[in-house]
Amino acid sequence: MSSLRVGGPGPAPARRQALAQALNAVSYEIMPFRGTEDAVLAHVPRTIPLTVTTTEAKGLAATVDLAQRLAGHGYSVAPHLAARQVRDKRQLADLVAQLREAGIDGIFVIGGDVTQPAGGFPDALSLLEVLDADGHHFRRIGIGGYPEGHGSISQDLIDRAIELKARYATHVVTQLCFDAGTTAAWARRVKERGVDLPIHVGLPGAVSRQKLIRISAGLGLGQSARFLRKQQSMLWRFFLPGGYSPDRLVEWLAPRVSAPEGTLRGFHLFTFNELEKTEAWRRRMLTRAGQQP
């Protein structure tokens, strides 16, 4: 078998082992669209944890409903709770109760891109504080990280926010970043600021440019425009000749995932519902790493 093109420190066997470990510690992010449930059942092993996004067009109900159905099929699933879409404490309590009844013990808390908050939760921190004060059953609570910053929030505010949110969370999932060095440097900086939560690196899966266009069009006009603004670097890479492949990023970062001195602990693949291609890619990479999928 040929050696990996890109790696990190250490000999090729060690890099292959690191790659296999990282690819067995992935999670997939999916979107609550028509056909998503069937695609998950057809292509995603139940050993892979899932998160379900919340879109402005479909709201929280579609996210929670899909999460409940997938949990019923035996998947470990964490719905996104977009704070700016939650009306009040009563609705939050209802959501928590629904998830508890479905046996769902994980959530991913974001602020959300809705321009006007539906109620009293302007950001993720405010929702996390109420969850903590009122009590909950969740064993896994994810929050977002921004290796390349945020288009509308200063870096100082982002850094302070993750420090405040970390006390309520169990792990961090980064937004998309195509520069492995930037991601690694950001993880070190966050740890130096006292946030030592496990970090799961967010990467696009094996997504075609056609699927990206369809997904962005299906988000709804306002959310689609914000998505395109935030993901300009991703769009640029997708429209290069040959498109995008996650191989190089994964190979470079794999030796740093689970390194004792760091906090990188796995990959979170934004599938954009391209589940068959993403899972086929993961299996090919496992084969390259010397492991039978």
Side-chain angles (χ1 to χ4, degrees):
M1 180 173 54
S2 61
S3 61
L4 299 178
R5 297 189 311 272
V6 182
R15 296 199 300 270
R16 287 196 292 268
Q17 182 180 9
L19 180 61
Q21 290 176 344
L23 291 169
N24 282 312
V26 300
S27 53
Y28 286 176
E29 184 160 308
I30 60 176
M31 308 180 86
F33 291 171
R34 181 181 302 173
T36 303
E37 180 180 3
D38 290 340
V40 169
L41 293 173
H43 303 297
V44 181
R46 284 168 175 78
T47 53
I48 294 180
L50 304 170
T51 67
V52 184
T53 63
T54 296
T55 71
E56 183 178 353
K58 294 183 177 294
L60 287 164
T63 296
V64 172
D65 180 61
L66 178 57
Q68 289 173 313
R69 296 200 308 273
L70 291 173
H73 291 301
Y75 288 93
S76 172
V77 57
H80 286 209
L81 293 187
R84 295 168 73 85
Q85 292 192 35
V86 180
R87 292 188 304 274
D88 49 33
K89 291 185 178 181
R90 182 172 180 176
Q91 185 187 15
L92 179 60
D94 287 344
L95 290 169
V96 171
Q98 289 178 54
L99 297 175
R100 181 189 297 112
E101 184 176 352
I104 295 172
D105 63 0
I107 53 173
F108 186 74
V109 180
I110 58 172
D113 288 333
V114 177
T115 304
Q116 186 65 35
F121 300 108
D123 50 36
L125 178 61
S126 58
L127 190 144
L128 287 165
E129 289 173 335
V130 170
L131 266 180
D132 184 69
D134 291 351
H136 61 78
H137 68 285
F138 300 115
R139 296 191 301 113
R140 297 173 293 117
I141 299 180
I143 56 175
Y146 298 87
E148 291 187 314
H150 190 288
S152 58
I153 305 174
S154 73
Q155 191 62 53
D156 286 344
L157 287 177
I158 291 174
D159 289 344
R160 180 59 179 154
I162 197 169
E163 291 175 21
L164 294 172
K165 291 186 292 185
R167 68 188 67 175
Y168 305 109
T170 61
H171 63 281
V172 178
V173 176
T174 73
Q175 292 294 311
L176 297 172
C177 177
F178 289 88
D179 188 303
T182 296
T183 296
W186 173 84
R188 289 193 298 269
R189 190 178 80 245
V190 168
K191 185 177 181 181
E192 289 168 358
R193 294 179 69 100
V195 178
D196 60 355
L197 295 176
I199 294 173
H200 301 261
V201 181
L203 302 170
V207 185
S208 68
R209 65 191 69 180
Q210 293 82 6
K211 174 56 71 77
L212 183 65
I213 292 169
R214 290 199 301 272
I215 289 292
S216 63
L219 290 171
L221 184 59
Q223 190 175 16
S224 181
R226 287 191 290 276
F227 170 81
L228 293 171
R229 283 199 302 271
K230 288 196 300 182
Q231 309 300 346
Q232 287 183 43
S233 64
M234 185 173 80
L235 292 172
W236 179 75
R237 284 168 173 81
F238 269 81
F239 285 95
L240 285 173
Y244 159 80
S245 169
D247 295 28
R248 291 179 64 87
L249 276 172
V250 167
E251 290 171 352
W252 195 92
L253 284 165
R256 292 154 179 84
V257 170
S258 297
E261 68 277 9
T263 53
L264 300 182
R265 291 293 176 265
F267 294 123
H268 181 76
L269 297 182
F270 295 86
T271 70
F272 298 97
N273 287 9
E274 200 81 279
L275 293 166
E276 182 176 8
K277 287 185 177 180
T278 295
E279 178 59 13
W281 166 84
R282 186 183 75 93
R283 289 170 176 265
R284 285 196 301 271
M285 293 293 285
L286 280 170
T287 299
R288 284 176 56 184
Q291 183 176 110
Q292 188 65 32

